[in-house]
Every structure is written in structure tokens, then in C-alpha cells.
Amino acid sequence: MDDAELTTENVLKRDVHWESYMTHKMITITCLGKIRRYDNQSESHKAALLDDDGAAYVKLFVNILRNNPFQENGTISRYVFKKETVEYVLALIDEMLTANPKRATLFHDESFASEDTYEPFLSLLWKGNWFIQNKSCKILSAIISARPRNQSGLSTHVKSSHSKVKSTSIDDVLKGLMEWVCAQLKYPSHPSRGIPSAISRLSTLLKEPSVKSSFVQSDGVKLLIPMISPATTQKSVQLLYETCLCIWLLSYYEPAVRYLASSRTLLRLVDVVKSSTKEKVVRVVVLILKNLLSKGTLGPKMVVVGLPQIVQNLKARAWNDEDLLEGLNQLEEGLKNNIKEMSSFDKYKQEVLLGHLDWSPMHKDPMFWRENIFNFEDNDFQILRVLITILGTSSDPRALAIVCNDLSQFIQHHSSGRLIVNDLKAKDGVLKLINHENTEVTLNALLCIQKLLLGAKYAGVLLA
């Protein structure tokens, strides 16, 4: 079988000749006895042995990997385990942890106080084939996550001061894992499994504060953004979910949030939550958006891209997840507060007078226009006059589109809006924009002309 297609099940079907390793003094007769009692036994039998003496078996597996590494250069040596045997031992450990993830605590047993349990797996991250690298990363991630900690989150396992073994530090392990994950995201070792495996490991590792820091410093966040897109298959759903889980963990870390805010992450998240039918995906995206809501200008941007209506649509669907329902309620409340804060006429007036037009919520919020329509009469329709001036002087497509939109809103909500805008001679400026190269400008100019010529009553007829 091709190394790239190896699975734990396939590897465990091998018959390892352990006696030959004892003959060459690569393992002791005690080790051979333990292996024979464990190898090729039923799941229940293995579980009983691990329940009774799990630390001893873990030590056996780790020592085999530590004391007898394989060589990749083809050098023949009776003192070196075959690559196939290394794969087999990793498969045994993976099988043990998959059956019961809590067994990862066995690697932190007091009997390991004078030994380095991390180094064998860390060294294998960059050796051998995809199977060896992937299993080493998976096992090492599980071991690190299961390490004992005190209330402050610090590791409580301390190596013996009398040990002559140079121990690999937690920081070294996390750094090594992060380097491997980032390498896989850039240049995957396996064409279809490399990135999903790296993302899966990352979703566990980012619970570590130091990993968040090193991941951001390694410019890793930008590697995740392209993977935030609506999923089309079950496999891509899982990758999307775990990617979003990584983003959620990063949303608690300010340096990562700054990068997320300056990228297209928000738009991608909105596309996902709008189209996804998978509850777990919607839940994690809603939790991300809830976390980002109060960060910088992200709250207002969420309003601008139409998230309030999307949340309303999501709330109308039948969900079973209580965390999702609570997250939707909290997100809705936060968006309402953003709309309320942003929809003041003073802020709108300042935006227009400064000429810094952007698609902030008030431009399309009917409540804003209903409540503030008569404020536009102040100072002989000063704001309207400034908007019309922008029509004739600005070359910014966004500003031109917004002016046409705002004139349309004024015509629609003011009882004499069409007459006032015509008297201010806005029609010629709007007509010039109908053939603008920017489609957003053209659309808003056409809508404005509709209302100027026919009134709000007939809005939509010309474009029907």
C-alpha cells in the first residue's frame, strides 16, 4: 500500500516479529512479554491491561520510539527499527487514545518524572512519511492538552531535579507543533489530508495562550481566511467547522482580532452563516460574530452588510442547540445597540459635511429617515445642497452611489421630497450617472431618477 494511504487499521494488521528485536537486544525479555500480552488482543483485553498498568505500557511504547529511531537514508543496521515498526507503535498509541482520550494523562504519570515523553514524537514530526508525521502530531497534541495544570493554567508536572535527561519544554513542544501545522497549511505533505489534519490539530492547540501568540506572529491567521467559505460536502463541512472553531478561539486574542478586522473575514463569515444548514457551523459562526461585535468598527460593519436581517431569518428556523439560540439573541441585541448608536442625525450630518461617505446603517434604515426627515430642512436644506455638490465634484463611486441613495430616501420619506430635490436642480447630476462604469452607481442613480420622475409610489416600475 502507498505510504500516503496508510490507515491505523491497515498498519495494525501487520505481524511484527518482536522476538527478533529481543534477539538483537533492542528490547528486553520483559518488554517482549508485555508486548505479547498486549499486541493483537481484543479491545476489551487491551483496555483491561491499560486500566491495570497503563503507565507501564505507555513507557514501553515511548521507549521503543526513543531508543530505536528508524533511519531514512537506507543505512542498514541491526540496531535500527524498521519504519514499519515505528508506524506500528504509533498506530498502537493512536488506537489507545482514540478508544479513550483520557488515557493521554498516562503520559504524565509520576513514573515519567525523570524522562522526556515529548521528544520522540517531536522528532518524528519532520521524519518519515505522512502517516508517521500525522500520527506524531495527533498524539503529541493529545499529550500536551492532557498535561496537569494548577488553577492559573500552568503545568504542574515537574521533572526530577536529579534527572540527567535534558527535558523538552512545553514551549519547545508547542513551537514545534505550530511550525509543523503552519508548514502543512502552506505546503501540505498529503494532497487531501494535510490541511484538514493541520486544522484539526490547530483547533486543539489554540486553546494554549502561547500558541495564539506564535500563530499570529507566524502570520498564520491569513492562512485560515480562504477556508471560510460555504461547504458543499460533508468533508468540507467538517473542515469549515474546525476552521471556524480556530477563528472563534482567535477571537479572544486582540492581535488576532486586529487582523480579522482588516481582512475579508467578516464578509466570509456572513456568507457562511447565511447559507449553512449545519447547526454546529451556524453556532460557531454566531459565537464568533458575537465576540467580534464590540471590536473596533466591526459592529457597524455587521449592520452595513445586513447581518440584522440575517439574524432575524436564522431565529425563524428551528434549532435545537441552546447555545446557538442564546448566541442569536445576544447578537441581535448587540446589533440593535449598534444601529441605535449609529443612527443619529448629528453623526450623519458630520459624515456628509466632512465628505466621508460610507455605507453606514442610517443610509438604508427606514426608521432613521422617518425620525429625522424634517432635520434635512435646517439651514435651508444645507445637507441636501452638500449632497448635490458631491454629485458634481466627487469621483469616488461609493460616494456617488450613497448620494443617489440618500436623495432617493429623502424623496420617499418627505411629503414634498420630489419637488424639493427638483428645485435644487439635482436631476441633471443624477442623470449623468446612469451610464457610469460602476454598477452600484448606475443602480442607485436609476432608482433616484425613478422617484424624481414618478414619485415613490411607482418605485421599481422602470427597473422591472
Side-chain angles (χ1 to χ4, degrees), residues 349-418:
K349 182 178 178 180
Q350 182 182 34
E351 180 182 319
V352 173
L353 293 177
L354 291 174
H356 296 162
L357 294 178
D358 201 354
W359 283 114
S360 46
M362 67 276 283
H363 295 286
K364 292 189 176 183
D365 181 17
M367 184 177 294
F368 168 79
W369 290 94
R370 285 196 299 269
E371 292 180 350
N372 295 286
I373 195 63
F374 293 109
N375 290 329
F376 284 83
E377 298 180 359
D378 293 347
N379 299 320
D380 192 24
F381 299 100
Q382 178 193 24
I383 296 300
L384 282 180
R385 294 177 186 277
V386 174
L387 288 172
I388 294 168
T389 299
I390 293 174
L391 276 182
T393 58
S394 178
S395 60
D396 179 10
R398 177 178 296 180
L400 295 174
I402 292 171
V403 169
C404 291
N405 169 82
D406 289 8
L407 292 175
S408 298
Q409 296 285 4
F410 179 81
I411 295 168
Q412 180 175 339
H413 290 90
H414 196 287
S415 57
S416 303
R418 184 160 57 100

Side-chain angles (χ1 to χ4, degrees), residues 46 57-58 156 168 204 207 241-242 257 364 445:
K46 289 178 179 177
Y57 280 97
V58 166
T156 59
T168 305
T204 299
K207 296 173 184 176
Y241 170 70
E242 291 185 340
V257 170
K364 292 189 176 183

Side-chain angles (χ1 to χ4, degrees), residues 96-111:
M96 174 187 79
L97 296 178
T98 300
N100 185 354
K102 292 182 179 179
R103 288 173 181 155
T105 59
L106 292 171
F107 288 82
H108 303 283
D109 188 81
E110 291 182 358
S111 60

Side-chain angles (χ1 to χ4, degrees), residues 163-352:
S163 173
K164 295 182 180 180
V165 178
K166 183 180 179 181
S167 196
T168 305
S169 71
I170 298 296
D171 288 341
D172 289 337
V173 175
L174 292 175
K175 181 181 177 182
L177 285 169
M178 193 56 16
E179 289 175 351
W180 187 85
V181 165
C182 288
Q184 290 301 313
L185 293 177
K186 293 176 183 176
Y187 312 106
S189 301
H190 190 284
S192 61
R193 299 180 194 168
I195 289 177
S197 293
I199 292 294
S200 183
R201 301 290 84 78
L202 184 62
S203 65
T204 299
L205 293 169
L206 282 174
K207 296 173 184 176
E208 304 280 347
S210 63
V211 171
K212 290 186 178 75
S213 175
S214 62
F215 187 67
V216 171
Q217 289 174 10
S218 301
D219 214 13
V221 183
K222 74 176 182 180
L223 302 175
L224 299 179
I225 310 305
M227 287 179 275
I228 307 174
S229 59
T232 55
T233 65
Q234 184 59 43
K235 186 175 181 180
S236 61
V237 166
Q238 185 60 27
L239 177 60
L240 172 62
Y241 170 70
E242 291 185 340
T243 300
C244 290
L245 191 59
C246 292
I247 297 295
W248 174 66
L249 291 166
L250 288 167
S251 70
Y252 289 95
Y253 184 58
E254 197 60 39
V257 170
R258 287 197 292 271
Y259 185 90
L260 296 174
S262 64
S263 66
R264 293 181 59 82
T265 305
L266 176 59
L267 294 177
R268 287 178 170 273
L269 289 170
V270 170
D271 283 343
V272 167
V273 82
K274 183 168 56 176
S275 60
S276 182
T277 58
K278 293 295 182 180
E279 196 167 60
K280 66 179 184 180
V281 173
V282 175
R283 180 186 68 242
V284 71
V285 173
V286 167
L287 294 177
I288 294 170
L289 293 171
K290 183 170 68 72
N291 278 359
L292 297 179
L293 187 62
S294 61
K295 307 295 185 181
T297 61
L298 284 172
K301 287 181 180 178
M302 290 181 194
V303 178
V304 171
V305 298
L307 191 57
Q309 184 58 53
I310 295 171
V311 171
Q312 287 293 319
N313 295 340
L314 289 173
K315 289 187 68 176
R317 290 160 60 178
W319 303 107
N320 296 318
D321 192 303
E322 292 185 3
D323 288 339
L324 171 54
L325 294 172
E326 182 182 356
L328 283 170
N329 288 332
Q330 292 174 346
L331 185 56
E332 180 184 42
E333 191 62 31
L335 289 168
K336 285 180 179 178
N337 291 335
N338 270 274
I339 292 173
K340 185 177 179 180
E341 290 176 7
M342 295 168 66
S343 298
S344 72
F345 189 75
D346 287 340
K347 288 187 178 181
Y348 174 84
K349 182 178 178 180
Q350 182 182 34
E351 180 182 319
V352 173

